[in-house]
Amino acid sequence: MLDLTEPALAGFTPWPADLADRYRAQNLWTGETFGEVLAARAAAAPDRIAVLDTANSWSYAELHHRARSLAAGLARLGITPGDRVLVQLPNRAEFVEVIFALFELGALPVFCLPAHRAAELVPIAEAAAATAVITCRTHQRFDYAALAATVRENVPSLRHVLLVLDEGQELPEGARDIAEFRDEPVELPGPSAGDVAFLQLSGGSTGIPKLIARTHDDYLYSVRRSAEICELDSDTVYLATLPVAHNFPMSSPGILGALWAGGAVAMTPDPTPATAFPLIERFGVTITGLVPPVARLWTERAEAGDTPDLSSLRILQVGGARCQDELARRIGPALGVTLQQVFGMAEGLVCYTRLDDPIDVVVSTQGRPMSEFDQIAVVDDNGVEVVPGEQGNLITQGPYTIRGYYDNPEADARSFTADGWYRTGDIVSIRPDGNLVVAGRAGDWVNRGGEKVSAEELEAHLLEHPGIRDAVIVGTPDPVLGQRICAFVQPADPEQRPTLTAVRKFVRERGVAAWKMPDAVVVIEEFPETGVGKTSRKELRQLLTEGVH
Ligand code: OOB
């Protein structure tokens, strides 16, 4: 019998055959590809709007035609099925055209973030053995064409630099304009549903991102299930606010969920209220997803009043990092939305609070797995399951969680158990109602002379201080205690800088154990961010080792 579990792409770790059979038998993996989904939507409702940005408005028929036409052109250029192609584009309509062209062709987009630079892109391109990069000329005054040229100089496999050009932009030497490759569509064999559809990058709190191979079958299941949970339909207008290459705005339910449901995808070039709020009004956006620092900005802006009309927005998702209860409580009333917490990872598992959950669940938990076929367990450092309700390490396996990184046995040895469960690196507890509460990453604890202090817990206390807008706790090396507690705080009013004495007094008066008192307070104007806009603890730790206090 033909073994359908055997993938064409070397370096991809398939699901064990018995699980794969079960996922197919249960019709979780339906055998459809992304190209087939788009074709079906375009046939059913050709004139419905699929993609919107400040310059474009494409119907499903137009998007489908563009994808097929670019696929034909890329094939003519010599891009073949299975080729890896770095895609580094800001949030604009062409992102959707490009990825569906690659899906059509069976070439694999490698989803890079606009914030990535040569230090990340070169090793990513090497690890993927990429043959091409598709990017834009410039965005927010950064020269992406020059970055792509640097990557090509350093990565021998990388032959082509293709650019999405704006009106009047010149083509730099050595690059090609994607407009040259919008050919007459041709019939292409296309990929199978069991094939890898793209390479996603790990959220990676340390080092260079790892590559994550996702198949049409497994990713489409997660998209479909997400769209169901978020009740998307053809009236949905999903605003891609976070960088759209990230797993959250891509598929939870994201742009792919909106297209799955026959709705529209709208793009904002940046997530600030000044840019995004008018676009919500203009496009009639119904749902979007934010990381907590952006959700805080939006909430504050809405609380200040006098915004554009945001009444079309029904669901605001927050995820990617822990949303503190203090912020979660304010979001719904400020923006007139239903809040949904999303706890997910590019490796697979995504948890949601449900739209009809009681407010306590929505404010205080990160939800529960989207699929009844997701398996989760909370284990201690020896891999033994903890008493229900206790905190421990979250491990998971399921129909859309990878079984190994792409071509990376060393990372696999660290991140997967012998029987294939993914070690998320997250410390969580599961409440009796089944909802997860994320306490932080395994590393986000300060070990102060043997007493463990949870960064998240202490941050939650600091956020109750009226003079503190945002706070991040990190450990700083100490010769006696091992680590000391450093509180980075962003003041609510830049003129009123909270002092160590005042902060310690405030925390003590909240009835917190003495050993959890911050040892240092560093006032900081802006927190450093990761590529998707999460607060970067890694860079804050770096600041400390460089001696900023
Ligand atoms: C999402 O994906 P990644 O791959 O950038 O990061 C995953 C990690 C998780 O392991 C966890 O440490 C953290 O980000 N995280 C959260 C969280 N959501 C993600 N920590 C606390 N609370 C949350 N709500 O970030 C991602 C992928 C799909 C959907 C949503 C987020």
Side-chain angles (χ1 to χ4, degrees):
M1 201 184 98
L2 183 66
D3 184 0
L4 292 169
T5 61
E6 199 50 55
L9 186 68
F12 167 69
T13 312
W15 278 258
D18 57 331
L19 282 180
D21 286 346
R22 193 185 315 160
Y23 298 150
R24 281 194 203 94
Q26 305 269 13
N27 216 25
L28 312 182
W29 295 356
T30 56
E32 254 185 317
T33 64
F34 280 100
E36 288 163 354
V37 169
L38 180 59
R41 297 299 173 273
D47 299 329
R48 198 177 278 156
I49 294 299
V51 186
L52 292 157
D53 68 9
T54 49
N56 302 282
S57 162
W58 297 339
S59 67
Y60 272 88
E62 191 171 358
L63 172 63
H64 186 223
H65 178 78
R66 280 175 168 267
R68 294 187 65 224
S69 139
L70 183 58
L74 294 176
R76 171 169 60 84
L77 178 66
I79 310 263
T80 57
D83 271 10
R84 274 79 65 198
V85 177
L86 301 195
V87 177
Q88 187 182 38
L89 285 171
N91 291 9
R92 53 187 296 167
E94 290 85 354
F95 180 91
V96 188
E97 175 189 9
V98 164
I99 70 166
F100 274 93
L102 294 168
F103 291 157
E104 196 76 34
L105 185 55
L108 278 46
V110 183
F111 291 131
C112 305
L113 297 173
H116 285 137
R117 296 293 177 259
E120 289 98 15
L121 290 187
V122 169
I124 290 168
E126 277 170 348
T131 58
V133 50
I134 303 181
T135 185
C136 59
R137 177 76 186 77
T138 56
H139 174 67
Q140 290 178 347
R141 295 201 302 273
F142 182 77
D143 189 342
Y144 284 94
L147 174 59
T150 307
V151 179
R152 181 172 52 186
E153 274 161 32
N154 286 282
V155 182
S157 63
L158 210 149
R159 295 193 302 276
H160 310 292
V161 172
L162 294 163
L163 299 181
V164 174
L165 290 183
D166 287 323
E167 283 273 314
Q169 280 183 333
E170 272 181 33
L171 190 65
E173 214 178 308
R176 313 286 295 265
D177 178 353
I178 68 158
E180 288 173 47
F181 298 97
R182 293 200 177 104
D183 288 8
E184 200 48 46
V186 292
E187 279 314 310
L188 294 163
S192 310
D195 287 341
V196 172
F198 58 81
L199 297 176
Q200 181 65 271
L201 304 177
S202 67
S205 49
T206 50
I208 304 300
K210 295 181 279 287
L211 298 175
I212 294 168
R214 304 283 302 258
T215 64
H216 291 265
D217 260 337
D218 92 80
Y219 209 59
L220 257 175
Y221 172 59
S222 77
V223 164
R224 192 173 79 237
R225 193 60 203 120
S226 296
E228 281 164 13
I229 287 177
C230 299
E231 298 173 11
L232 304 192
D233 58 25
S234 57
D235 293 329
T236 293
V237 181
Y238 177 87
L239 183 69
T241 308
L242 299 174
V244 62
H246 186 267
N247 198 53
F248 182 15
M250 175 86 68
S251 66
S252 305
I255 61 166
L256 295 178
L259 295 173
W260 163 262
V265 167
M267 299 279 189
T268 173
D270 79 71
T272 59
T275 307
F277 283 9
L279 293 179
I280 292 175
E281 178 173 341
R282 174 169 158 194
F283 296 139
V285 170
T286 59
I287 172 170
T288 190
L290 307 177
V291 288
V294 178
R296 185 175 292 282
L297 266 182
W298 283 32
T299 302
E300 287 171 350
R301 181 64 196 80
E303 284 169 348
D306 195 22
T307 63
D309 180 4
L310 304 177
S311 59
S312 62
L313 190 63
R314 291 208 313 272
I315 303 174
L316 192 92
Q317 305 177 292
V318 179
R322 176 63 194 266
C323 180
Q324 292 288 350
D325 296 14
E326 165 269 339
L327 174 60
R329 273 193 298 270
R330 288 160 57 195
I331 291 172
L335 288 146
V337 293
T338 298
L339 170 66
Q340 178 180 55
Q341 295 216 32
V342 188
F343 163 51
M345 53 211 69
E347 287 82 354
L349 179 71
V350 181
C351 299
Y352 294 97
T353 58
R354 304 306 197 255
L355 300 181
D356 57 357
D357 273 346
I359 190 73
D360 141 70
V361 170
V362 172
V363 163
S364 308
T365 84
Q366 282 62 59
R368 51 199 179 277
M370 68 161 122
S371 166
E372 59 184 300
F373 297 90
D374 283 317
Q375 291 173 263
I376 57 172
V378 182
V379 300
D380 66 18
D381 290 343
N382 300 317
V384 178
E385 268 194 74
V386 302
V387 176
E390 295 278 297
Q391 283 182 354
N393 305 288
L394 175 67
I395 61 171
T396 183
Q397 67 168 344
Y400 61 96
T401 295
I402 56 166
R403 309 296 295 196
Y405 287 106
Y406 174 67
D407 196 19
N408 197 339
E410 281 134 52
D412 290 349
R414 284 192 303 276
S415 299
F416 292 84
T417 67
D419 46 0
W421 291 60
Y422 171 56
R423 297 185 220 268
T424 65
D426 294 314
I427 306 290
V428 308
S429 57
I430 304 180
R431 307 199 324 179
D433 61 12
N435 289 294
L436 273 64
V437 177
V438 182
R441 301 276 312 160
D444 292 344
W445 293 71
V446 185
N447 189 338
R448 190 179 189 280
E451 303 283 11
K452 315 276 191 315
V453 181
S454 150
E456 301 273 353
E457 179 198 332
L458 192 48
E459 285 157 12
H461 286 296
L462 294 184
L463 283 176
E464 297 296 333
H465 189 296
I468 294 178
R469 177 176 184 268
D470 209 348
V472 176
I473 301 292
V474 296
T476 157
D478 182 88
V480 180
L481 293 166
Q483 280 190 310
R484 297 188 321 145
I485 303 167
C486 178
F488 281 95
V489 299
Q490 192 185 33
D493 171 359
E495 305 297 311
Q496 306 261 317
R497 299 163 78 87
T499 63
L500 177 62
T501 323
V503 169
R504 289 174 64 99
K505 178 162 179 286
F506 177 79
V507 177
R508 195 165 44 244
E509 283 171 1
R510 291 180 61 81
V512 175
W515 47 268
K516 293 183 186 170
M517 295 301 131
D519 296 296
V521 167
V522 179
V523 176
I524 186 162
E525 303 289 316
E526 297 275 345
F527 286 123
E529 289 176 358
T530 68
V532 72
K534 306 183 192 184
T535 300
S536 171
R537 288 177 195 274
K538 190 173 83 177
E539 278 188 48
L540 287 172
R541 288 194 190 101
Q542 186 78 28
L543 283 178
L544 285 179
T545 54
E546 286 163 7
V548 181
H549 26 335

